Amino acid sequence: MNAAGRTGKPAAPDLFRRHPQARICGPDGAGMQDGPALACIPERPPARALASVFAAAATGLAFRVGETAAGPAQGAGSFETLTSGSSGLPRRIRRSQASWIASFAVNAARFGIGPGVRVAVPGRLTQSLALYGATEAVHLGAEAHLLDGLRPDRQVTALRVRQIDVLYAAPAHLRLMLEAQAGPVGGLRLIVTGGSKLDPATRAGLAMQFPAAEICEFYGAAETSFITLSDAATPEGSVGRAYPGAEIDLRGPVGAQEVWVRSPYLFDGYAGAAGDARWHDGWLTVGEIGEMRDGFLMLSGRRGRMVTVADQNVFPEEIEAFLLGQPGVTRAAVLARADPRRGQVLDAVVMGGDPAALLAACRRRLGPLKAPRRVHLVADWPLLASGKTDLAALQRFVG
């Protein structure tokens, strides 16, 4: 089916379309044809679900991701996707198709995505980044290769054999590919990643496994889409400059300023239980704390994860970033537990590294108040379907 959809009329410019030159390929590499219009994408969708969604979207039919019992989404030209749920249950996001299409044009120019380009997505279509990358590819006329369901080593092989140009993947999926040790892929030219910060070890590993690939890391949320974009010229510790079309405003006292954004890419609201996002006069915040330095945004962490230790505010993300830069550490999470003297103290959970050495390094770098009181070493890291760390499972582990 072409961009005219099921009605025979040209698709509106603010609706997803299946570009005439687009191609959708499943895990086995076979091409997918359009099927019946699909208004709900199940939790573990087959690759052909994307083709059916485009059949629905091109007519303006709203669709929903990850929940079929509630029926289709409401509102012509809209759709519903999910937050990652790393600190609780995933929230349902309602947004217009136009809010993603606005950034497709930016990425077509910045990343060179269009007819003849092969784009791979290792995540499930129920994950916002995976759905975005696949939808953008099909809308712009590229080949979308959906690799969910393959083991990480076979995903790497698919990148090599299918001569993939662009990879849309969350850091968790990238780490799994590195751990698979499936050998270098010389042809990949671009990795687009987001959802959490790339640690130095992962970035160095990607440079070895994908030596020709530019790494573009974006900062944003399911509610905001793109806020900033970073590349090789971005200073260490920054999440980059404002993404084209996004305006950033910092509000509040120095040292605890919230990041507010205004752009054409923002969501419409929550479809169900409310989340952390707040609106004011067309500006939106998800409670992230940061500062600007020479035009580059630096983040401390989310207000929702902030911990008070002996009356001092501490952001676990800052400590996690430090731990991920230590020898042998491949995963890290910092969690609070109650303490009768300080109100709360911190524990760290890591994969890899020497707990005693990590404790000593944290005390030297962060001081006795911010440093974790204990470091727990685990062999199996709990992950959500989104690929992010299951913080609730780790919280139960530390008590």
Side-chain angles (χ1 to χ4, degrees):
M1 184 176 295
N2 60 26
R6 297 168 64 85
T7 64
K9 299 177 182 179
D14 58 352
L15 296 179
F16 295 145
R17 62 168 184 161
R18 182 165 181 172
H19 190 287
Q21 293 176 261
R23 188 164 177 256
I24 303 171
C25 300
D28 60 357
M32 299 289 162
Q33 301 300 315
D34 279 355
L38 183 67
C40 299
I41 299 180
E43 283 293 336
R44 197 76 192 219
R48 65 178 179 274
L50 184 63
S52 295
V53 161
F54 271 91
T59 69
L61 179 65
F63 66 91
R64 180 192 301 271
V65 169
E67 183 180 332
T68 57
Q74 301 300 311
S78 68
F79 66 106
E80 294 177 12
T81 183
L82 300 168
T83 65
S84 64
S86 55
S87 57
L89 290 175
R91 304 294 183 183
R92 187 161 293 284
I93 297 296
R94 186 180 68 253
R95 59 166 59 247
S96 68
Q97 295 180 36
S99 68
W100 272 10
I101 291 170
S103 58
F104 292 171
V106 176
N107 292 347
R110 172 64 178 82
F111 301 142
I113 298 175
V117 174
R118 294 171 179 159
V119 179
V121 176
R124 297 185 193 177
L125 292 179
T126 47
Q127 298 161 20
S128 187
L129 178 61
L131 182 65
Y132 180 93
T135 303
E136 178 182 79
V138 177
H139 188 89
L140 296 176
E143 288 187 10
H145 291 257
L146 310 181
L147 306 183
D148 178 46
L150 297 178
R151 294 189 328 225
D153 60 328
R154 292 181 179 173
Q155 289 179 338
V156 175
T157 299
L159 298 180
R160 184 185 301 113
V161 172
R162 302 188 201 181
Q163 299 180 315
I164 298 297
D165 302 294
V166 179
L167 174 64
Y168 264 91
H173 289 115
L174 295 173
R175 293 187 189 104
L176 291 173
M177 288 183 178
L178 293 178
E179 290 167 1
Q181 298 183 342
V185 178
L188 190 72
R189 66 170 175 83
L190 175 68
I191 298 171
V192 182
T193 184
S196 62
K197 195 84 176 77
L198 280 181
D199 59 277
T202 300
R203 186 174 284 276
L206 293 174
M208 295 286 290
Q209 186 158 22
F210 308 107
E214 176 189 9
I215 300 174
C216 284
E217 190 174 358
F218 74 85
Y219 155 64
E223 296 92 336
T224 65
S225 196
F226 296 96
I227 297 177
T228 66
L229 191 65
S230 65
D231 53 24
T234 301
E236 186 175 353
S238 170
V239 293
R241 294 185 182 274
Y243 182 82
E247 301 174 77
I248 297 172
D249 188 28
L250 301 182
R251 304 177 184 179
V254 175
Q257 292 184 305
E258 281 190 323
V259 178
W260 288 76
V261 61
R262 181 169 63 182
S263 80
Y265 321 122
L266 305 180
F267 83 140
D268 292 336
Y270 292 104
D276 296 330
R278 306 192 318 272
W279 291 91
H280 182 72
D281 291 339
W283 293 79
L284 180 70
T285 185
V286 291
E288 202 86 50
I289 305 299
E291 62 177 305
M292 297 294 292
R293 297 181 192 169
D294 299 323
F296 291 94
L297 181 62
M298 321 292 288
L299 295 178
S300 300
R302 279 214 181 184
R303 189 178 294 279
R305 287 196 67 198
M306 186 176 71
V307 177
T308 302
V309 180
D311 298 323
Q312 180 176 337
N313 293 335
V314 180
F315 290 96
E317 294 95 331
E318 175 190 357
I319 305 168
E320 290 165 356
F322 174 72
L323 288 167
L324 285 168
Q326 301 305 298
V329 178
T330 58
R331 305 279 194 282
V334 174
L335 304 158
R337 59 182 170 87
D339 180 78
R341 292 178 56 199
R342 297 175 175 84
Q344 291 177 301
V345 293
L346 300 172
D347 277 8
V349 187
V350 298
M351 261 184 83
D354 179 350
L358 293 173
L359 271 178
C362 284
R363 287 168 182 159
R364 287 194 302 270
R365 173 68 175 268
L366 305 168
L369 207 62
K370 283 187 176 183
R373 308 289 288 180
R374 302 182 299 203
V375 175
H376 306 267
L377 189 64
V378 298
D380 296 313
W381 198 257
L383 295 175
L384 299 164
S386 64
K388 287 191 175 183
T389 295
D390 188 339
L391 294 175
L394 289 178
Q395 188 74 63
R396 292 192 294 271
F397 173 74
V398 303

